[in-house]
Amino acid sequence: MKSKALLTALLVSLTSIVFAQTEQGKLMVSGRTSLDFAYSKTKMGGSSIPDNGEVSQDSYNFSLMPALGYFVIDDFAVTLQTSYAINNGKTDNQMSQLTLMPGVIYYIPTGSIVRPFVELGGGYANISTKTPLTSGGKATNSFNGYTIGGGVGAAFFIKENIAIELSGQYASVRTKFSGDSSIKMNISGFSGGIGFSLFF
Amino acid sequence: MKHTATLYLIMMVFAASSLHAQTEKGQFVIGAGTSIDLSKTESNAALKTTSLNMKANGGYFIIDNLSVGISGSLKAAYGNANVDGIENTDILSEFRYYFNGTHFRPFVQMNAGYRYARLVFTSTDYTAINKAHGLALGGGVGGAFFIRDNISIDLGLQYLHANLKRSTIPYGMNGPIQEEKPFKAVMDDLKLSIGFSMYL
């Protein structure tokens, strides 16, 4: 009888640990949250380089990807995913991308260490490229618009504050050229991923 | 008074040991950015792209404060636009030593491994795309700020030097082309990064 009571107490405490991560007031942070700045100097040589010579090229890549959420009620969080990246900075292929995507996520309370979730989001997107002109200088082409997306997945809590998340999403980006709104660039597609989430 | 002092001493020893427990022999450290993402997109210009991004960073503490592991990334894209396979890949061994500290643990690291790069040289009238691979060596310094017992925010500065040679043989109408000067590249990279690590 005593052991049964002890088992019940253990199960109750385990359940409370499982639910504690997604309680009102908790914070979640995507493991992908990072800031990276890389500077690279590349010296290239060989027959495939113009004039059979050698060239030196400096470039940099920058990326900032904060993604976090706040549980406004148990199991339901408002999220903000942002990303800003510059690729091939200083070269003639420079491209920058910015997205600001507020959203929501709901973790289904299963009472186990596996928590399925659904997420929705929408926000602003900008893609800019810089291309060289034969007359000298560079031309900046900018596309602005919106992005929407949604997905489903499952969080496997391997520790009280760490989960491995398996998810599938659909996203659509619809943008217009800043110089002529009749020129559009729309991209849509599916993605699947595995990553970590942290809970505080 | 004597009991209070003894209790205080025990608490200090316990606190110090729990702060160092993360980097004890037998523990694992995993970069929270470790992830796999696969996406399939289509644009309004009928450009179809399938892309794969993988990031991995982790180690095992073979003795107290010294971890041995890998760090790497792979970017690949396939489609009907100007994308044709693996873009950039690093697979590096990582030896990291953590110095003693309380909530802040400075570290030094050494890396050695393999790099594959798709190098693009663009001028106003010429574009050369070369695929090259070779040995990469480097090292770095940084610090881990422990915000929880098993989670830290890492700030790191890493230098990598890579000597690369053409990875594919160029073919013409009459078979392989014997280049007088095969393509080669020397890359010097400096990377500043901020991200999360988990200790299991």
Side-chain angles (χ1 to χ4, degrees):
Chain A
M1 190 67 186
K2 253 184 185 175
S3 61
K4 200 175 175 185
L6 187 67
L7 188 66
T8 308
L10 268 169
L11 282 171
V12 167
S13 70
L14 187 64
T15 307
S16 68
I17 286 167
V18 166
F19 283 108
Q21 309 94 341
T22 57
E23 270 178 358
Q24 183 183 6
K26 291 271 177 178
L27 195 69
M28 62 179 280
V29 179
S30 165
R32 290 179 173 87
T33 296
S34 62
L35 182 149
D36 292 294
F37 178 80
Y39 178 82
S40 183
K41 189 178 184 71
T42 306
K43 287 180 186 168
M44 292 180 270
S47 307
S48 57
I49 300 299
D51 305 323
N52 207 17
E54 290 195 352
V55 291
S56 180
Q57 187 170 267
D58 291 3
S59 70
Y60 67 87
N61 291 305
F62 173 80
S63 74
L64 176 65
M65 291 196 297
L68 47 92
Y70 178 77
F71 287 90
V72 287
I73 55 171
D74 287 359
D75 308 317
F76 183 83
V78 290
T79 58
L80 180 65
Q81 288 182 55
T82 63
S83 74
Y84 178 66
I86 301 172
N87 295 313
N88 301 312
K90 283 190 85 176
T91 73
D92 290 335
N93 300 305
Q94 183 171 327
M95 183 168 81
S96 65
Q97 297 170 76
L98 170 71
T99 57
L100 297 167
M101 198 166 166
V104 291
I105 187 166
Y106 177 69
Y107 286 87
I108 298 166
T110 57
S112 76
I113 57 165
V114 182
R115 306 284 302 275
F117 62 82
V118 287
E119 57 184 337
L120 280 170
Y124 171 77
N126 172 276
I127 302 168
S128 295
T129 58
K130 283 185 180 175
T131 49
L133 298 168
T134 48
S135 55
K138 287 183 179 179
T140 301
N141 298 310
S142 184
F143 288 83
N144 296 294
Y146 67 90
T147 176
I148 54 166
V152 293
F156 300 83
F157 283 87
I158 54 170
K159 293 278 177 186
E160 194 187 332
N161 54 0
I162 298 171
I164 297 174
E165 294 196 340
L166 180 68
S167 63
Q169 287 111 9
Y170 172 80
S172 178
V173 180
R174 295 182 176 274
T175 61
K176 291 175 182 175
F177 182 49
S178 56
D180 181 353
S181 62
S182 66
I183 301 171
K184 295 174 182 175
M185 183 162 69
N186 302 330
I187 304 167
S188 59
F190 291 94
S191 67
I194 301 172
F196 288 95
S197 277
L198 310 173
F199 296 79
F200 300 97
Chain B
M1 187 66 186
K2 201 176 174 182
H3 287 297
T4 310
T6 310
L7 189 65
Y8 184 70
L9 188 66
I10 290 167
M11 281 174 70
M12 289 284 283
V13 169
F14 179 75
S17 66
S18 70
L19 284 169
H20 291 159
Q22 309 93 339
T23 59
E24 270 178 1
K25 182 183 172 183
Q27 290 280 105
F28 284 93
V29 56
I30 299 172
T34 296
S35 56
I36 303 171
D37 292 295
L38 180 69
S39 65
K40 193 166 181 148
T41 60
E42 186 170 355
S43 76
N44 57 335
L47 301 176
K48 294 179 180 177
T49 308
T50 301
S51 55
L52 174 69
N53 285 318
M54 291 171 71
K55 269 183 160 185
N57 179 235
Y60 175 76
F61 287 91
I62 52 166
I63 56 171
D64 287 0
N65 302 325
L66 178 68
S67 71
V68 176
I70 58 157
S71 73
S73 62
L74 182 147
K75 279 179 86 174
Y78 300 88
N80 56 0
N82 188 24
V83 288
D84 61 350
I86 295 170
E87 294 178 346
N88 291 305
T89 299
D90 277 338
I91 303 169
L92 304 169
S93 59
E94 187 166 287
F95 302 86
R96 182 180 282 191
Y97 182 79
Y98 290 79
F99 294 97
N100 287 334
T102 51
H103 290 291
F104 175 66
R105 306 284 303 274
F107 60 76
V108 289
Q109 68 181 54
M110 285 176 65
N111 302 92
Y114 171 82
R115 168 171 290 183
Y116 176 94
R118 183 175 181 268
L119 296 163
V120 181
F121 171 71
T122 309
S123 65
T124 50
D125 53 6
Y126 193 92
T127 298
I129 300 172
N130 287 285
K131 295 169 183 175
H133 66 164
L135 185 70
L137 293 167
V141 293
F145 298 87
F146 283 86
I147 52 172
R148 291 285 188 275
D149 276 353
N150 58 350
I151 297 171
S152 69
I153 296 175
D154 294 356
L155 172 68
L157 184 67
Q158 185 188 33
Y159 168 76
L160 276 177
H161 174 84
N163 263 309
L164 310 180
K165 289 178 181 171
R166 183 191 288 283
S167 62
T168 52
I169 302 165
Y171 274 78
M173 286 178 71
N174 300 317
I177 299 168
Q178 291 296 323
E179 287 182 305
E180 196 180 316
K181 287 174 70 180
F183 178 81
K184 61 180 181 178
V186 176
M187 299 180 77
D188 289 292
D189 300 347
L190 196 61
K191 186 179 177 184
L192 176 74
S193 58
I194 299 173
F196 289 93
S197 280
M198 304 169 297
Y199 301 79
L200 306 171

